[in-house]
Amino acid sequence: MNMRVTFKQTVLSTALLAGSLLTTTLQAAETLNMSIWVPPTHFVYKDILKPWADDIAKVTDGRVEVRILPKAVGSPPKHWELARKGVADITWGNFTYEPDRFKSIWFSEFPSSGRDVKAQSIALWNSYEKHLKADKAYGGVKMLGVSLFGGGHMHHGSKDIVEPADMEGQKFRMGGPIQQVLIEDLGGIPVSAPATKAYEMLESKVIDGSLHPIESVVNFRLDGVLKHHTIFEKGLYDASFFLIMNQKKWNKLSETDQKAIEEISGAAFAARWGEVFNQQHIDAEKKLRDEGHTFSEPSEALVAKVAAIREKMIADWEVVAKENGIADPKALLADFEADYEALKGK
């Protein structure tokens, strides 16, 4: 027997086998396309969504990878449907853009929903898991995360808004139906427009003020036209967000990879989101104060008026939530508030 030939054959066979295994591994890797509608420079993209997407490959040992598309494949309000229909495998978006569809989650956007984004977002995830899943509106996709932004406030170009009378006749940009009700019931005039249009509308005096979370005043470069900020202790309103995946794509993943992805999603994603947003709010407020902006607290009368609007909103929402499959809306709201208080500051 020629030992040298046998050895060469063995080496060749081993190499072919290794190559075959490598090819199989490469073929087995699943690439998921993700659509994000904020630019790569925005902190939501670079500090939250991109790191989460990169972690998918790490936790699945490279078996699943997320490719963020160079351009969003649809407008922001379309991102739920883009994932549900499989146009994109994963999308991130805002429930607020489809308020008539996602009625059961309205409670999280009402006044006094909180200002600790980490506590809020984890509490909202718990609420989804325990209560909101019963609403068929959330069907057809794999929910990977939900979150809030830590309370929006009043920002004005030329005066402090402290008393209810200060709102009379003031034109405020708003971005959703809950904000519209607030402005109208407080005596103001709501003007619907995206945050990206706020600067030119303020500069041209089309509007007098605008509703935003603190970070947005800085991140949308509105600090030159919004100098007066009325800060509500637990937020004047909020906005709710989702992170979802096409259900068929999710079902094709192995149980091992599904579990690995779930471990960095859900409550873990809410915590990641919240920590970044909390720091953004802190940094933005410091910048505005350093620039000499005026920060005010609402008077007791204004706080009371907002509280009365909130109670009316809750009463109306309870009826709608029951119609949409939520067995006990009061329990849902109580659980959310209790979770928030238990998590706040941690």
Side-chain angles (χ1 to χ4, degrees):
M1 177 181 292
N2 189 328
M3 297 296 292
R4 184 175 296 177
V5 172
T6 303
F7 176 75
K8 286 182 178 179
Q9 289 175 336
T10 302
V11 171
L12 180 60
S13 297
T14 302
L16 290 172
L17 177 60
S20 177
L21 289 172
L22 177 61
T23 300
T24 301
T25 301
L26 290 173
Q27 289 176 341
E30 183 74 39
T31 299
L32 305 174
N33 290 321
M34 182 174 184
S35 181
I36 302 175
W37 45 266
V38 292
T41 53
H42 195 285
F43 75 90
V44 167
Y45 185 113
K46 63 186 180 71
D47 297 334
I48 303 174
L49 298 177
K50 180 67 163 60
W52 174 83
D54 290 344
D55 283 349
I56 298 293
K58 296 176 185 176
V59 300
T60 62
D61 295 324
R63 292 184 298 274
V64 183
E65 296 180 349
V66 175
R67 172 179 174 260
I68 298 177
L69 299 171
K71 184 179 180 181
V73 293
S75 64
K78 300 293 185 183
H79 271 58
W80 181 277
E81 280 300 286
L82 291 174
R84 191 183 70 82
K85 292 181 177 179
V87 178
D89 300 317
I90 301 174
T91 64
W92 163 79
N94 193 332
F95 287 114
T96 316
Y97 289 145
E98 293 192 83
D100 290 335
R101 181 178 192 173
F102 301 109
K103 297 175 181 179
S104 59
I105 206 166
W106 286 355
F107 73 94
S108 67
E109 300 191 3
F110 292 163
S112 300
S113 290
R115 289 182 62 192
D116 183 328
V117 191
K118 183 178 179 180
Q120 273 188 314
S121 298
I122 296 174
L124 186 58
W125 175 255
N126 293 343
S127 296
Y128 171 76
E129 287 283 271
K130 186 174 181 179
H131 298 279
L132 292 173
K133 278 183 176 180
D135 185 344
K136 293 180 181 178
Y138 306 100
V141 300
K142 169 63 179 178
M143 187 74 76
L144 294 172
V146 293
S147 52
L148 294 163
F149 68 21
H153 307 278
M154 291 179 180
H155 311 279
H156 201 279
S158 59
K159 72 173 187 175
D160 300 333
I161 304 293
V162 177
E163 300 291 343
D166 296 331
M167 275 295 291
E168 290 295 328
Q170 296 298 297
K171 298 185 291 294
F172 267 78
R173 185 212 69 88
M174 59 86 186
I178 290 170
Q179 298 167 49
Q180 179 178 352
V181 171
L182 277 165
I183 294 170
E184 288 176 342
D185 287 3
L186 289 172
I189 301 169
V191 179
S192 179
T196 51
K197 296 292 184 182
Y199 187 92
E200 62 183 87
M201 295 174 75
L202 286 158
E203 192 175 43
S204 60
K205 308 299 182 184
V206 173
I207 56 175
D208 304 299
S210 193
L211 299 185
H212 300 278
I214 292 289
E215 58 79 14
S216 289
V217 176
V218 171
N219 287 316
F220 285 107
R221 300 179 181 178
L222 302 173
D223 46 321
V225 287
L226 290 174
K227 302 285 189 177
H228 302 261
H229 314 283
T230 305
I231 307 301
F232 289 76
E233 183 181 4
K234 292 185 68 176
L236 177 62
Y237 70 96
D238 223 290
S240 54
F241 301 86
F242 59 77
L243 177 66
I244 58 175
M245 182 172 170
N246 175 265
Q247 188 68 58
K248 290 182 179 179
K249 276 285 187 176
W250 174 260
N251 293 343
K252 288 181 179 179
L253 300 180
S254 69
E255 289 185 13
T256 299
D257 290 339
Q258 287 179 349
K259 183 178 179 181
I261 293 170
E262 285 177 333
E263 286 178 354
I264 63 167
S265 305
F269 177 79
R272 183 200 294 260
W273 171 283
E275 288 168 0
V276 172
F277 258 87
N278 280 341
Q279 191 60 52
Q280 283 285 326
H281 290 319
I282 291 169
D283 293 345
E285 182 168 342
K286 182 180 184 304
K287 182 178 188 296
L288 296 176
R289 288 186 183 276
D290 288 347
E291 291 176 357
H293 288 221
T294 300
F295 280 75
S296 302
E297 294 181 3
S299 67
E300 289 184 6
L302 183 52
V303 169
K305 195 164 185 178
V306 170
I309 296 170
R310 169 184 160 82
E311 289 306 309
K312 177 63 166 59
M313 286 180 171
I314 290 173
D316 292 342
W317 164 77
E318 286 176 351
V319 175
V320 172
K322 284 184 178 180
E323 292 173 351
N324 285 268
I326 307 302
D328 192 344
K330 290 183 185 296
L332 164 55
L333 182 57
D335 285 344
F336 172 76
E337 292 177 339
D339 279 349
Y340 175 77
E341 290 301 324
L343 293 162
K344 188 169 61 174
K346 295 182 179 179

